[in-house]
Every structure is written in C-alpha cells, then in structure tokens.
Amino acid sequence: MKQKLKGLGFSLAIFIVIVIFNSLFGAPPIALSGIEKYSDKVTVEQARELGFILFNDKRYSAARAFFKPSAQQGDVGSQLSLATLYFYDLTTVNNYQQAYYWFSKNSDNAFAQYYLSLLYHFGHYVPQSQIKSLFWTEKAAAHSFPAAQHNLAVYYYNLGDYSQAYLWGRYARDNNFSQARSLVKQVTEHLTPQEKAIADQTYRNSKAMHRWSGDKNNQISALLEQVF
C-alpha cells in the first residue's frame, strides 16, 4: 500500500511539474498521458482543480475524467464544468444529452440556465422550443448573467421593442459583455431622444439590481474564461 501511494504521489508530482512547464514554456517534449486513471484517487477539491488545469490546457477527455467523480459527489463547479465540456465536445457520443443532464441538475444557477436556453434554442437533444429558450434566457438574465442579458436584448430588438432592447443591452454592456457594445449602438438609432431619455432614467434606477456578481465565484469565472 505504501508503495502504491508513493507511486501515486510521484505521478501527480510529475503531472503538476509538466503542467507548470507547459504554462510557462509551451508544450513539453513529453506527451502527458494516463493521468486520468488517478481521477478517483484524489479529493473532490483536487479533482476539480486538476480538471480546470486540464480544461485550460485543452485536454478535454482527461479533464472530464477528473470532473466526473467530483460531479457525481455533488460538487456544483465540477457538474457545470462537465456539462460545459460535453456541450462543446462534438466528438463525444450523446454529448448534448450529457450536457442537458448535468446542466439540469443546477437549473437554479444562472450559468446552467443560460446553456439550457441554448439547448432549447438550437434543439440540441431536447425538442426545439423558442418559448422554453426564452423562459431560461429570462431566468438567467434575471440573475444578471451578462450573455443572457445580451440575448434577451436581441430578442426584444427582433421583436421591435427597442426600449427594452436598449435596457438589457446596457445591462450586458456594463457587465463587460463585449458583444453588447455594438448592439446598444444599433438599438439607439431606433430610439427617439425622448424614448432614450426615459430608457436612460429607467436604467439608472435599476442598474444596481442587474449587476453581475458571479465573477466572485472562482469556479464560474474559470468557466467564463473558457467559453466567452
């Protein structure tokens, strides 16, 4: 047993050294392989941290191997990360089904709500439904998720409700969602000076309620850096 633990510790030490080397100097001359077999031998916290390192290094299969055990133990950050990996990995069989499963476990989370809206919008695994897509978009936007605020602004723009499009575009832009800048500029062209003045006043009175604070969560921040 001592020999096995010693071997595990040595392998993880080598893994960490390779990751640090890779982050500083680029891809190392030694191909990293087989580390995923240790995914069930580390703590939930260690598995999540190693999963994020592998995710960032675009080793998606190995990252999933670390996220899955901690996700199955109820770790929300791992569940969201696993769902995100499945959503974008088109090479995995039933990837959208797996993404839906793990996002649905956190349907009260703004990040998960946003992706549920995309699944319904495009009809990935679930029947395509713009009503259900809008339902999840509104929920995520109500939780001040910037990408959802932007998508809700687009919805109102296409509907011809330019005052609401302007408002949600402002919320998204001021939450540093870069795509919202051009949208706000475009929407403004459809508002009269009086309509814009009213919308600006509404924005000033309500902006505090729509400020995104999810960036205080390191796990969500790490995911946002990967996908936006």
Side-chain angles (χ1 to χ4, degrees), residues 16 108 137 169 205:
I16 292 170
D108 58 343
T137 300
N205 292 339

Side-chain angles (χ1 to χ4, degrees), residues 47-74:
R48 187 199 314 122
E49 290 174 10
L50 290 170
F52 273 121
I53 291 172
L54 290 161
F55 193 168
N56 186 58
D57 206 37
K58 303 187 187 307
R59 293 184 169 97
Y60 301 131
S61 178
R64 280 200 305 271
F66 277 94
F67 284 132
K68 195 164 187 177
S70 49
Q72 290 172 334
Q73 293 183 57

Side-chain angles (χ1 to χ4, degrees), residues 6-211:
K6 183 178 179 181
L8 172 59
F10 180 71
S11 298
L12 288 176
I14 290 177
F15 168 65
I16 292 170
V17 169
I18 291 174
V19 169
I20 293 173
F21 183 94
N22 190 24
S23 65
L24 293 175
F25 304 109
I30 304 172
L32 180 65
S33 62
I35 189 66
E36 59 268 22
K37 67 185 177 182
Y38 298 115
S39 61
D40 60 348
K41 296 179 173 62
V42 294
T43 67
V44 168
E45 292 74 17
Q46 290 170 332
R48 187 199 314 122
E49 290 174 10
L50 290 170
F52 273 121
I53 291 172
L54 290 161
F55 193 168
N56 186 58
D57 206 37
K58 303 187 187 307
R59 293 184 169 97
Y60 301 131
S61 178
R64 280 200 305 271
F66 277 94
F67 284 132
K68 195 164 187 177
S70 49
Q72 290 172 334
Q73 293 183 57
D75 182 67
V76 172
S78 296
Q79 290 176 344
L80 293 175
S81 301
L82 189 60
T84 305
L85 280 168
Y86 278 123
F87 184 89
Y88 287 106
D89 188 1
L90 303 183
T91 65
T92 301
V93 177
N94 297 325
N95 67 302
Y96 290 125
Q97 180 179 355
Q98 290 292 329
Y100 180 82
Y101 173 79
W102 289 107
F103 280 133
S104 293
K105 281 187 169 295
N106 295 279
S107 59
D108 58 343
N109 178 281
F111 187 87
Q113 290 166 348
Y114 170 73
Y115 276 95
L116 287 170
S117 76
L118 294 185
L119 287 166
Y120 279 106
H121 176 78
F122 293 109
H124 292 326
Y125 174 63
V126 294
Q128 190 174 30
S129 171
Q130 296 309 311
I131 292 176
K132 289 184 178 179
S133 177
L134 178 60
F135 171 82
W136 289 112
T137 300
E138 289 178 329
K139 275 189 168 295
H143 284 110
S144 303
F145 192 71
Q149 291 174 331
H150 171 267
N151 286 2
L152 191 56
V154 171
Y155 167 78
Y156 280 119
Y157 180 83
N158 291 334
L159 202 64
D161 190 340
Y162 300 119
S163 294
Q164 283 297 314
Y166 178 81
L167 271 177
W168 288 102
R170 283 290 303 271
Y171 298 144
R173 187 190 72 180
D174 292 350
N175 281 323
N176 300 314
F177 193 75
S178 59
Q179 297 177 38
R181 297 192 186 100
S182 60
L183 176 62
V184 170
K185 183 178 180 181
Q186 190 174 354
V187 172
T188 302
E189 296 173 358
H190 293 276
L191 296 173
T192 66
Q194 183 180 10
E195 288 172 335
K196 185 177 181 301
I198 294 172
D200 281 332
Q201 183 60 51
T202 303
Y203 169 78
R204 286 190 291 271
N205 292 339
S206 59
K207 63 180 180 179
M209 296 170 15
H210 298 281
R211 183 71 62 192

